[in-house]
Amino acid sequence: MTCIKPELIQKYIDRETTSAESELVDAHLKHCEDCCRKVEARKQFSQLIIHSVNHLVKDHGSIPAFAPVKKVSGRFFVKRRIIYGLSAACVLLLIMFTVIRTRTREPWHVSIVNTIGPQVDANKPITKQDMIINIIDQDGNVTELKLE
Amino acid sequence: MNSFDKLYYENYHKVYRVALKMSGNAQNAMDIVQEVFLSLFDKLENGGEIIYPGTWLYKVTVNKCCDGLRKQMRFATLDVAAGNEFHEVTIEKQETRQIIEKALFELHPRERVIMVLYSEGFSYKEISEASGVKFQSVGKTISRILEKLEKKLKGLNNDLY
Ligand SMILES: [Zn+2]
């Protein structure tokens, strides 16, 4: 009789063998010391790994209340950065524009009003909300920049 | 308590355990759990039916963990050296444990999933359902991963001494 394959040894120690397979293994183990050693070694190694994986859970913590809104976490980091970048670029452009105007003509004033869009969707994270930047110059002209 | 809340409180820790074992980091695990239950919430809100919520939750958790790990293989900032609470553990044992944890986190996410579900005491049938590995292949897969780990550990041990 040939020796037991590793796969069958695994099933045997995990009690996943069919009754026919179990009989076969038991019969073989009665006269094969080599396989007995293999079964014992695999049993111990499996336990060691199970124990090590379980050790990763040091405590469970408490169950937080469920909020059916997507949390703004690291995953949205990139999108958020793009929006911040765009905002920063807009502001920078405005400042440059203002400086140029100041140098060439009389002082020129603008106001920047930055708001979240009129339709706030509570089910969307902040990064998915429409953002509107209103630029109001001293003549009262309003330029609306919409970031979607 | 509605059906969602019931599922949430009954399964939170089960999902959390798997997510934590996969990510090795409590914050990431909590984010994954939140996403998993958000999917469940959406599905139930939209009138979807789930016959076996337990299996469904594990499946979604496994997929989210693997997706996350594939996207950023450095996802696991291990909290290994975090606690000094295990005074009874000798330094040698601590080292062995760290070596094993390192080897576990070097496995492919799909392999790690198998070990995580196995450590949860799942039957081969449950492992198959949650991971998508064919039932007939579960024993072979576990055996193969354990062999791989054994080899890795021998290698890491040799590097150490
Ligand atoms: Zn034999």
Side-chain angles (χ1 to χ4, degrees):
Chain A
M1 195 176 168
T2 51
C3 280
I4 318 163
K5 282 185 185 163
E7 173 191 351
L8 190 55
I9 291 180
Q10 193 65 44
K11 280 171 79 177
Y12 181 76
I13 64 164
D14 292 333
R15 297 176 201 280
E16 293 277 353
T17 37
T18 62
S19 51
E21 284 170 332
S22 295
E23 271 175 40
L24 209 79
V25 174
D26 286 334
H28 182 78
L29 291 180
K30 270 184 196 143
H31 63 81
C32 181
E33 264 181 51
D34 205 26
C35 279
C36 281
R37 267 196 301 273
K38 276 188 206 162
V39 168
E40 197 44 47
R42 180 44 64 93
K43 212 186 252 174
Q44 280 187 12
F45 189 68
S46 299
Q47 281 307 315
L48 177 70
I49 295 301
I50 287 171
H51 186 79
S52 302
V53 179
N54 281 329
H55 187 259
L56 291 168
V57 183
K58 289 181 179 94
D59 65 88
H60 286 94
S62 52
I63 303 179
F66 178 75
V69 179
K70 252 189 184 152
K71 244 173 69 184
V72 181
S73 64
R75 214 153 294 211
F76 304 105
F77 190 53
V78 178
K79 282 177 194 165
R80 213 204 219 158
R81 276 229 310 233
I82 290 169
I83 288 178
Y84 285 166
L86 275 172
S87 308
C90 284
V91 172
L92 199 72
L93 262 170
L94 268 161
I95 292 167
M96 278 168 65
F97 190 56
T98 316
V99 169
I100 293 164
R101 293 273 308 226
T102 317
R103 281 192 179 161
T104 51
R105 287 180 218 171
E106 74 277 9
W108 192 75
H109 300 280
V110 290
S111 314
I112 300 165
V113 185
N114 185 355
T115 55
I116 297 285
Q119 280 136 7
V120 177
D121 187 347
N123 288 322
K124 286 181 179 173
I126 186 89
T127 52
K128 295 269 172 76
Q129 306 287 357
D130 296 344
M131 189 195 259
I132 293 168
I133 298 171
N134 288 322
I135 302 155
I136 308 161
D137 69 21
Q138 59 186 10
D139 300 317
N141 297 320
V142 181
T143 313
E144 194 179 77
L145 293 173
K146 194 172 177 197
L147 287 172
E148 285 179 353
Chain B
M1 203 182 259
N2 63 34
S3 61
F4 174 81
D5 285 346
K6 196 166 177 285
L7 286 173
Y8 180 70
Y9 287 102
E10 274 176 10
N11 293 285
Y12 182 91
H13 281 146
K14 294 181 196 165
V15 173
Y16 178 75
R17 285 178 66 84
V18 172
L20 181 57
K21 287 176 175 185
M22 282 301 289
S23 68
N25 171 296
Q27 189 53 54
N28 284 338
M30 281 170 81
D31 285 349
I32 292 165
V33 177
Q34 166 83 3
E35 277 185 38
V36 169
F37 282 103
L38 203 67
S39 302
L40 177 71
F41 186 82
D42 283 346
K43 193 163 169 89
L44 295 177
E45 279 284 281
N46 296 321
E49 220 187 312
I50 299 166
I51 302 165
Y52 301 109
T55 309
W56 189 90
L57 282 167
Y58 278 122
K59 228 163 143 176
V60 174
T61 308
V62 162
N63 286 333
K64 285 205 189 292
C65 290
C66 288
D67 281 355
L69 287 172
R70 253 200 304 277
K71 274 182 205 142
Q72 32 179 326
M73 288 300 275
R74 301 237 159 251
F75 185 33
T77 39
L78 269 175
D79 292 341
V80 175
N84 281 330
E85 66 262 52
F86 299 96
H87 292 298
E88 80 280 12
V89 178
T90 64
I91 292 164
E92 257 169 79
K93 271 188 183 166
Q94 193 90 343
E95 266 178 14
T96 312
R97 181 161 284 154
Q98 285 183 15
I99 290 168
I100 295 173
E101 286 180 2
K102 188 174 184 293
L104 278 167
F105 279 90
E106 279 172 4
L107 288 175
H108 186 276
R110 285 280 160 197
E111 293 174 329
R112 190 146 94 235
V113 159
I114 304 292
M115 285 299 105
V116 167
L117 299 172
Y118 183 57
S119 76
E120 286 292 295
F122 280 26
S123 69
Y124 283 11
K125 188 170 169 285
E126 290 167 318
I127 292 175
S128 160
E129 282 166 353
S131 70
V133 170
K134 265 193 286 176
F135 173 69
Q136 294 93 326
S137 310
V138 175
K140 196 193 273 176
T141 308
I142 293 173
S143 172
R144 199 176 42 74
I145 299 169
L146 286 173
E147 266 164 32
K148 192 172 167 178
L149 280 171
E150 216 165 4
K151 245 181 233 162
K152 249 180 202 294
L153 293 181
K154 273 182 192 146
L156 287 169
N157 253 324
N158 289 342
D159 283 352
L160 213 76
Y161 301 108

